[in-house]
Amino acid sequence: MLWESISSVVLGLALSWVALHSLPGRLPSSRVVFVTGGLGALFGAYLTHSTLGSVHVLATPAGAVLVGAVTLSLLIRPRGNRPVRSAAAQ
């Protein structure tokens, strides 16, 4: 279980690095992105391991990457300088 946790955090940090380099102006500071990616992947590994058990060795890193990507996608800001207003505010 320790190696699953360490590998999921490393996968989350790698996913964060890719996100920072592919979306340079649309993410907050790199520290926030790295913490979010690492913790999201760690939570994804925990969730997958709790759901499927320790038998599925390849599913746990896949769940870690999937949940890490979802949490990183919540940080993406819209393009442009104009603030986006909700439909209810207009």
Side-chain angles (χ1 to χ4, degrees), residues 3-13 37-38 41-43 45-46 60-61 64:
W3 289 109
E4 284 180 355
S5 301
I6 293 171
S7 64
S8 66
V9 169
V10 169
L11 285 172
L13 293 176
L42 186 63
F43 178 69
Y46 170 73
T60 302

Side-chain angles (χ1 to χ4, degrees), residues 58-73:
L58 295 177
T60 302
V65 168
L66 183 67
V67 174
V70 168
T71 56
L72 284 174
S73 72

Side-chain angles (χ1 to χ4, degrees), residues 1-89:
M1 182 68 186
L2 179 67
W3 289 109
E4 284 180 355
S5 301
I6 293 171
S7 64
S8 66
V9 169
V10 169
L11 285 172
L13 293 176
L15 190 64
S16 300
W17 184 81
V18 169
L20 278 172
H21 287 284
S22 62
L23 300 167
R26 298 182 60 195
L27 290 169
S29 70
S30 60
R31 179 179 288 168
V32 171
V33 173
F34 281 122
V35 168
T36 303
L39 289 178
L42 186 63
F43 178 69
Y46 170 73
L47 186 67
T48 308
H49 182 82
S50 297
T51 305
L52 300 177
S54 61
V55 179
H56 301 282
V57 178
L58 295 177
T60 302
V65 168
L66 183 67
V67 174
V70 168
T71 56
L72 284 174
S73 72
L74 296 174
L75 296 177
I76 298 175
R77 295 184 226 164
R79 289 184 195 198
N81 296 333
R82 252 181 53 195
V84 177
R85 297 182 61 178
S86 65

